[in-house]
Amino acid sequence: MNTEALRVEELAASAEVSVDTIRYYQGMGLLPPSTKDGRTARYGSAHLSRLRTIRALADDGFTLA
């Protein structure tokens, strides 16, 4: 799978989080905005890495704040 052009659903599946979680993290400023390909949001490997980091930190007891 090309991790430089993931749709939000593909990113969510790869990171094992929900689409709502991705949008929540973006709203909090924890995840950078997507790039646009026409009307479609695209996410890359940096987004996936950030999601995995957030999840690992949460598993270690850190809060989102």
Side-chain angles (χ1 to χ4, degrees):
M1 178 180 297
N2 179 4
T3 58
E4 290 304 319
L6 298 173
R7 293 180 55 209
V8 69
E9 297 86 2
E10 296 167 328
L11 178 65
S14 294
E16 298 179 354
V17 299
S18 70
V19 170
D20 288 338
T21 298
I22 291 171
R23 292 187 176 127
Y24 180 71
Y25 290 167
Q26 284 180 308
M28 292 186 71
L30 296 174
L31 193 64
S34 62
T35 58
K36 298 290 183 185
D37 180 12
R39 291 179 23 182
T40 305
R42 296 291 180 182
Y43 298 84
S45 58
H47 292 97
L48 182 56
S49 177
R50 175 72 63 97
L51 284 170
R52 288 179 174 159
T53 299
I54 292 168
R55 188 167 183 162
L57 291 169
D59 289 346
D60 287 343
F62 287 88
T63 65
L64 293 177

